[in-house]
Structure formats: C-alpha cells, structure tokens
Amino acid sequence: MRIGELAERTGLSRDTVRFYERTGLLTARRLPNGYRDFPPEAVPWLRYVRTAQALGFSLAEIARTGAELDGAPDAAERLSELLRQKIALIDERTAELAALRADLVERAASGCPLAPS
Amino acid sequence: MRIGELAERTGLSRDTVRFYERTGLLTARRLPNGYRDFPPEAVPWLRYVRTAQALGFSLAEIARTGAELDGAPDAAERLSELLRQKIALIDERTAELAALRADLVERAASGCPLAPS
DNA sequence: CTCGACCCTGGAGTACTGTCCAGGGTCAAG
DNA sequence: CTTGACCCTGGACAGTACTCCAGGGTCGAG
C-alpha cells in the first residue's frame, strides 16, 4: 500500500506517516520507483500507536516496544501481552480519574473550591 | 509568598513558575524590591492547573478559564462550575478508556492482535 | 506528449512546555 | 562590609510532534 492510502485509512497526513517512518515507528519497503510500500498491518499498527499515545506514551517509547516486537516469531503473542499491559494501565488511569473526580466533587460542593486539601 | 516558597510548595521549579506567570497562568504582585509576591491561593491554583493539564488541557486553555474567573465576585461559585465541567470531562475520558479497554481485550484474546477490526 | 494525481528528499518552520544561563540586584546574619 | 541565599531580566536552547515547502520524479489516461 502506498503512502496516500495508508494516510487515508489511518486519518494521518502523509507528512505524519513519513515522520513516523523517519522516527522508526514504521518501516516500509520501497517499490522500484522509490515509493514507499506499506504492508496491510501498518493500518492496525498505527491504530495501536495512537492508542498508546493517548495513554501517555511518547513516540520514542512506542517505537522501542515496536522494535522489540519486530521480527519476533511470536509477535502476535507478544503484542497480545502488550495490549494486556495497556489494559492494566487503562484500569490504573480510570482509578486515578475516579479519585480526581471524587476530589473535584468535594471541592465543587464546598463553598471554597481552592482551599488547600 | 515569594517564588522560592511557592515553587517548593507546588513541586515546580522557579523557572516554571516564572514561565507560568509570563503566559498569564498566574499573577503576582511585586514587592518594593521587584520580587514577586504570590497570594496563598496560588498553591491550590497551581494544583488545579496540574489537574487540568493532566486532563489534556493546554496551558493556554487553562489560562483562559482562569482569566474568566479572575476578579469575578462569585469566583468560588464559578470555579465550582468549572470543576463540575471537569468532572463531566473525566466521565467522558473514563468512558473512552472503557471502550478502548474493551477493544484491547478483544484484540488480546484473538490470535491476531493487529488484524483490522 | 501532456496533464493531473501521486510520490520523493531535505530542510525550514511551528507550537507547546519548559530549562538553563549570564549578568546583576537585595537582604539578613555575622 | 562581606558572604550566602535569595531574587530579577532577557534570551538562548531543548524535546516532542508535527507541518509546510521547494524542487523534482513517476505513471496512467486521453
């Protein structure tokens, strides 16, 4: 798949895809004419990247775990494990948000929201 | 309170506090010698700033709502309202995380985590 | 052969959020 | 009066994540 299609299917810009390739987040073969050729897995991979990013990971961190995965024979299994870790992280974040919410509820109810807690 | 104390009590660096003042996130009176003099409310305000930042607001956005609040006679009431909005936002974020989690659970369970969904 | 849609590279520029530093002033204690 | 801890300004620099552009190549349709 060429860059335009990948960009469209992931909602990223071509420049962003090129940027991701430069930073090692993504690898592409090259067609004889020099055009990038992405495998179909690039689409879900980029979705994963966006997920991890939303969870607060930097692109560098994501690239690192991606590199570990790359070429591993049990890549699917490892990625499943990664996803399970992300799920645990989501549970943590959710708990943090719940705590924050409780704090805000309390502050909103009190007459003095900025009082030191 | 001078900048050093505020920095220590909020865990920020002096430079960060000065940066926040420059960007309008924070206002300070000046002592006759030119030193910044922060009111005690600056401490919980900065805590709020960090909270809002963690929820994905840019400093500019935070400064804007802060400016709306500033000088209002019903500042406490308005801030309570803001906090209620933040709570709604937290609920949204929590829901997003739940959806993401469900997706990841499904992917992790399937043998092929990167298959297009 | 030309046109338009697509692709390439290299490099500059942007926004945000800091962080560091030089050069210099203030002030209380000893 | 000196010393050390504190404060000031202005400006350079950094890391992250893009975004845009100039200048130019590729390719299928008409």
Side-chain angles (χ1 to χ4, degrees), chain A residues 56-78:
Chain A
F57 292 93
S58 70
L59 297 184
E61 288 171 309
I62 300 169
R64 217 176 308 129
T65 66
E68 279 174 30
L69 242 73
D70 195 38
D74 55 345
E77 182 44 46
R78 290 209 196 178

Side-chain angles (χ1 to χ4, degrees), chain B residues 4 14 18 36:
Chain B
R14 284 147 216 253
R18 291 195 192 99
R36 289 171 183 82

Side-chain angles (χ1 to χ4, degrees), chain A residues 4 14 18 36:
Chain A
R14 284 146 216 251
R18 290 194 192 100
R36 289 172 183 80

